[in-house]
């Protein structure tokens, strides 16, 4: 018996291109909450492995959750904080990640923290050879693991469940043993007078402890972070060489950057024809 869905009238026909298929999967999930792999493969006249690739891509952006044999929409009441942050400003974070990757050259050593924007940077670095990547993040490490032309070093210690990263003295000591070409931090808030701020004290302590070891500090932050009232200081504008964002900052932030010599890089939007990263 053929499986039928209620919102099919608006769904595209068989063998649609990936971007249209992914959009249609999301629309079906909004109506049904959960679907099986087999149902989706039959609906789009493609293999179950193709559907699994689509679902992996959607899960990496936090928009769906994989379950045994299928996929469902995430439940915001029970979803991990990291996944919630992953979904926030996802398109802007991908733009920033691609732009920040342009600052990286083959042969560099990078220290990369646990922010969700840093995940997209690491994904954009997939084809850059001879990189050494040091991180305290489970998700960054998982993304790098297995790349044949990149070396991975992972800081250990107690893992913060909400951030999926180690921030304690073991992680600080381990990362402090490296002298990276670029130290790359995501940031929770930027204040024109107070500098770069965060919300988790342990995370801020981790970042502050590594400032003096860095040759060049790069901060990744989407435009919603400008003017946000962070609670814990991380760095001054003078400490940071480069800020990468996806929109022109307000005048007060541009002036503060100019006064300290910090470069502001505004990411370009990806062409409309681009598909999301696999």
């Amino acid at each position: 018996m053929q499986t039928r869905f209620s919102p099919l009238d608006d769904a595209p026909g068989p063998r649609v291109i990936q971007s249209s298929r992914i959009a249609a999967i999301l629309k079906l999930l909004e109506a049904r909450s959960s679907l099986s792999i087999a149902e989706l493969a039959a609906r789009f006249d493609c293999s179950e492995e193709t559907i699994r690739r689509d679902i992996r891509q959607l899960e990496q952006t936090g928009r769906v959750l994989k379950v045994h044999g299928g996929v469902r929409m995430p439940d915001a009441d029970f979803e991990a904080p990291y996944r919630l942050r992953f979904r926030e400003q996802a398109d802007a974070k991908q733009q920033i990640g691609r732009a920040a990757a342009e600052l990286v050259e083959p042969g560099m050593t990078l220290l990369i923290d646990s922010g969700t924007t840093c995940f997209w940077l690491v994904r954009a670095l997939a084809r850059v050879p001879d990189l050494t990547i040091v991180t305290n993040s489970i998700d960054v490490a998982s993304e790098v693991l297995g790349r044949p032309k990149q070396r991975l070093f992972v800081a250990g210690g107690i893992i913060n469940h909400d951030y999926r990263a180690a921030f304690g003295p073991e992680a600080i000591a381990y990362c402090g043993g490296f002298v990276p070409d670029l130290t790359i931090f995501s940031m929770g808030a930027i204040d024109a007078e107070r500098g770069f701020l965060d919300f988790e004290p342990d995370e801020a302590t981790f970042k502050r402890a590594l400032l003096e070891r860095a040759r060049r500090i790069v901060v990744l932050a989407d435009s919603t972070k400008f003017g946000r009232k962070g609670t814990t200081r991380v760095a001054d504008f003078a400490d940071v060489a480069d800020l990468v964002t996806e929109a022109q900052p307000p005048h007060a932030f541009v002036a503060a950057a100019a006064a300290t010599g910090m470069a502001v890089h505004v990411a370009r939007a990806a062409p409309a024809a681009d598909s999301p990263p696999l």
Side-chain angles (χ1 to χ4, degrees), residues 253-262 264:
F253 298 92
V254 174
T260 59
M262 182 179 69
V264 178

Side-chain angles (χ1 to χ4, degrees), residues 144-245:
V144 176
L145 187 65
R147 292 181 182 175
K149 296 183 179 181
Q150 296 182 1
R151 291 199 304 166
L152 173 66
F153 294 87
V154 184
I158 296 174
I159 299 296
N160 182 303
H161 178 266
D162 289 346
Y163 288 81
R164 294 172 59 83
F167 298 130
E170 299 94 340
I172 291 171
Y174 184 81
C175 291
F178 295 86
V179 184
D181 298 291
L182 299 180
T183 296
I184 302 171
F185 294 144
S186 60
M187 206 64 62
I190 308 175
D191 186 293
E193 296 181 357
R194 297 171 180 83
F196 295 95
L197 311 172
D198 248 319
F199 297 91
E200 168 56 53
D202 289 343
E203 181 183 25
T205 298
F206 173 83
K207 293 174 182 177
R208 284 198 306 270
L210 299 174
L211 291 178
E212 66 181 30
R213 297 279 184 174
R215 290 190 173 102
R216 179 179 173 189
I217 295 172
V218 179
V219 167
L220 314 183
D222 67 76
S223 56
T224 65
K225 308 301 172 57
F226 294 108
R228 182 176 286 183
K229 295 185 182 301
T231 57
T232 308
R233 177 187 168 276
V234 176
D236 296 327
F237 280 86
D239 295 322
V240 175
D242 302 88
L243 168 65
V244 187
T245 186

Side-chain angles (χ1 to χ4, degrees), residues 4-9 28 31-32:
R4 299 181 63 86
F5 300 103
S6 55
L8 292 186
D9 290 345
L28 290 168
R32 287 275 301 273

Side-chain angles (χ1 to χ4, degrees), residues 90-105:
D91 291 341
K93 291 174 180 179
Q94 291 180 51
Q95 286 178 229
I96 293 166
R98 288 191 295 267
E102 296 178 5
L103 302 175
V104 177
E105 299 176 0

